[in-house]
């Protein structure tokens, strides 16, 4: 079983460079209600350390590289992000951590809902309790 679900985007490149277009319903499997991006991350900083109760997200490393750790409460998996034509689908109830941001890394995130702090699970033991139904 693999936790990482990848979406492959078509690169519409020509001699001038590359372009990727994302459309809700075709390339992205949910209604996009929010877009945010993580950039200017300081050296040796890790982020994330949470899961979402309902939110679905697609993360795309549009520049540079980083490593994302996914954890479903039973298995942990590391994925290396450095390809702007690949989206990592991060479903609800998946713990995520982001590490090893390169200089200039830009991580673009498409989200299925607006920002709601009440949708976050920020405590790892609460997360494992929830996925174990305890
Ligand atoms: P957070 O999701 O905790 O960051 P990360 O998972 O990358 O470590 O968000 C950091 C702060 O920004 C937190 O105070 C919530 C706020 N925030 C918003 O207000 N809107 C947003 O869309 C996001 C993603 C975060």
């Amino acid at each position: 079983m693999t936790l990482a679900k990848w979406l492959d985007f078509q690169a519409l490149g020509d001699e001038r460079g590359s372009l990727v277009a994302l459309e809700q319903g075709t390339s992205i499997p949910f209604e996009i209600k929010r877009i945010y991006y993580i950039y200017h991350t300081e050296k040796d900083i890790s982020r994330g350390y949470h899961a979402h109760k309902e939110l679905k997200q697609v993360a795309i490393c549009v520049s540079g590289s980083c490593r994302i750790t996914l954890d479903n409460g039973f298995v942990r998996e590391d994925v290396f992000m450095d390809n702007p034509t690949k989206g990592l689908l991060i479903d609800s109830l998946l713990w995520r951590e982001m590490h090893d941001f390169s200089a200039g890394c830009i991580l673009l995130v498409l989200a299925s809902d607006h920002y709601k702090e009440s949708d976050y699970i920020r405590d790892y033991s609460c997360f494992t309790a929830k996925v174990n139904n305890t």
Side-chain angles (χ1 to χ4, degrees):
M1 181 189 145
T2 174
L3 302 181
K5 305 268 182 276
W6 294 101
L7 304 175
D8 288 312
F9 308 132
Q10 192 185 354
L12 306 168
D14 58 26
E15 65 285 351
R16 297 170 299 168
S18 301
L19 183 158
V20 170
L22 303 176
E23 296 190 355
Q24 176 182 304
T26 50
S27 29
I28 303 301
F30 51 73
E31 187 186 352
I32 302 163
K33 290 205 180 159
R34 176 166 51 113
I35 297 173
Y36 63 92
Y37 36 92
I38 295 170
Y39 66 108
H40 285 179
T41 307
E42 298 291 337
K43 199 172 179 307
D44 299 327
I45 290 293
S46 291
R47 307 188 58 124
Y49 298 96
H50 66 259
H52 285 281
K53 296 173 193 165
E54 303 286 345
L55 191 75
K56 297 174 189 302
Q57 298 184 294
V58 171
I60 306 154
C61 190
V62 295
S63 187
S65 63
C66 65
R67 174 172 59 89
I68 298 186
T69 303
L70 299 175
D71 181 332
N72 66 359
F74 302 93
V75 181
R76 273 172 95 80
E77 192 173 304
D78 272 343
V79 298
F80 186 64
M81 306 280 294
D82 69 344
N83 187 337
T85 70
K86 285 197 175 293
L88 179 67
L89 179 61
I90 308 177
D91 218 327
S92 52
L93 292 181
L94 257 189
W95 186 264
R96 85 290 315 268
E97 299 167 9
M98 293 162 273
H99 308 284
D100 300 343
F101 287 89
S102 70
C105 177
I106 303 174
L107 190 65
L108 179 70
V109 183
L110 315 179
S112 65
D113 206 351
H114 297 164
Y115 170 74
K116 279 185 200 142
E117 186 58 37
S118 60
D119 190 64
Y120 280 72
I121 306 168
R122 293 192 182 273
D123 182 280
Y124 187 73
S125 56
C126 291
F127 167 68
T128 53
K130 189 164 175 73
V131 293
N132 279 295
N133 266 328
T134 52

